[in-house]
Amino acid sequence: MKLIALPVLLIAFYATAQEPVSEPDLAKLQPKRLVSKIEFLAGPSIIYPYGNEGFEKARVGKLGFAANVGLIHNINSRLAINLKFRYENKGSKTIAYSPNIPPPDSQKSILDVTLKYATFSLLPCYSIWKEREFYIGFGPYFGYLNSVKTSIEVYMNGILSGQSTSSPDPYLFNKAFDVGLTTVIGYNVHINQKTECSVQFLHNLGLVYLSKDTTYPVRNNTFSLLLGFSINKNSYVKL
């Protein structure tokens, strides 16, 4: 009887060992990655600095650009940490009119200052729905100034009469670091297990003055619309 039972047990053990493990079981067996997902995004920015109330009426919005690489760690089905690295154009655009020569726009000067930053932010992001399509995030950002470009245009009688462009020492008049708060609202469209298309609305609110000269206090204030895609490193989990 023992001789008969032994082969039966061996066959049952072999059949059980060869049985494939289901995909959810694989997800439980495999450890979580430090980087669950990598995102690549880019898009336009609207730059509108604030803080110098005396020039609020003269300052206008200007168009900028932002490129983003994000490293995302999924903590659970709804909460994730997004470490964003961005290249950003910031700065200000100011139009000054002559008060003595009517009409006002017949004589004016336009000062356009572009500040190029390397920025990173740490954002806890919370998914509104379990499938991670729609999410919001909030956290600090830190920027380092790379270069400065200044453009001046002078108009006489409504005609451009003078123009100059320069790239001064970035730290001659400006501080090297920018610190503030980032808010992001995003939406993901699942393409397959490894790829998603993403759209993000991102707002940076600067908390420190950009210029060393406190006579003209200005802080960064940018709104960006970023489009791109992300690669899911945990391909056995639907994100």
Side-chain angles (χ1 to χ4, degrees):
M1 191 71 178
K2 292 182 179 180
L3 294 177
I4 297 174
L6 182 60
V8 172
L9 290 173
L10 290 174
I11 293 171
F13 175 78
Y14 181 81
T16 304
Q18 295 299 312
E19 183 178 352
V21 182
S22 62
E23 189 172 335
D25 293 331
L26 284 175
K28 294 178 181 178
L29 292 174
Q30 297 188 41
K32 286 187 176 180
R33 295 176 182 266
L34 181 61
V35 178
S36 307
K37 186 163 61 173
I38 303 176
E39 63 178 16
F40 303 90
L41 304 166
S45 298
I46 296 296
I47 304 166
Y48 193 85
Y50 73 101
N52 189 355
E53 288 77 10
F55 283 84
E56 285 299 328
K57 293 183 179 180
R59 188 172 298 118
V60 297
K62 60 175 290 186
L63 187 64
F65 177 80
N68 172 97
V69 176
L71 305 179
I72 301 171
H73 173 70
N74 294 328
I75 296 177
N76 54 41
S77 61
R78 291 186 179 270
L79 185 63
I81 300 295
N82 191 337
L83 179 61
K84 285 178 168 290
F85 298 89
R86 295 191 302 280
Y87 170 84
E88 294 183 306
N89 282 357
K90 300 182 182 181
S92 61
K93 187 175 184 180
T94 305
I95 302 177
Y97 298 94
S98 173
N100 301 320
I101 304 177
D105 59 350
S106 63
Q107 183 168 328
K108 64 181 179 180
S109 61
I110 301 176
L111 174 61
D112 191 330
V113 178
T114 300
L115 308 176
K116 296 182 180 180
Y117 282 89
T119 305
F120 76 92
S121 55
L122 186 63
L123 305 178
C125 295
Y126 182 78
S127 297
I128 304 301
W129 297 309
K130 193 173 182 179
E131 297 298 328
R132 294 187 187 272
E133 283 95 351
F134 181 71
Y135 55 92
I136 58 175
F138 180 80
Y141 81 78
F142 304 90
Y144 179 75
L145 181 60
N146 291 319
S147 64
V148 176
K149 182 180 179 181
T150 301
S151 174
I152 300 176
E153 295 179 353
V154 178
Y155 290 83
M156 299 288 291
N157 298 321
I159 301 174
L160 179 64
S161 61
Q163 185 178 21
S164 65
T165 302
S166 62
S167 299
D169 182 348
Y171 317 113
L172 185 61
F173 303 107
N174 301 283
K175 296 178 181 178
F177 295 98
D178 179 33
V179 179
L181 299 173
T182 295
T183 302
V184 63
I185 300 174
Y187 188 81
N188 293 330
V189 178
H190 300 292
I191 304 302
N192 52 47
Q193 273 194 323
K194 293 186 70 68
T195 310
E196 295 172 339
C197 288
S198 301
V199 56
Q200 293 182 2
F201 174 78
L202 188 144
H203 176 224
N204 284 337
L205 181 67
L207 298 180
V208 300
Y209 294 133
L210 304 181
S211 175
K212 294 179 180 179
D213 184 2
T214 57
T215 307
Y216 303 101
V218 174
R219 299 182 180 95
N220 272 322
N221 189 23
T222 59
F223 302 87
S224 301
L225 180 63
L226 304 178
L227 304 173
F229 66 95
S230 58
I231 299 174
N232 177 20
K233 303 293 288 184
N234 290 340
S235 59
Y236 53 86
V237 180
K238 184 180 180 182
L239 295 177

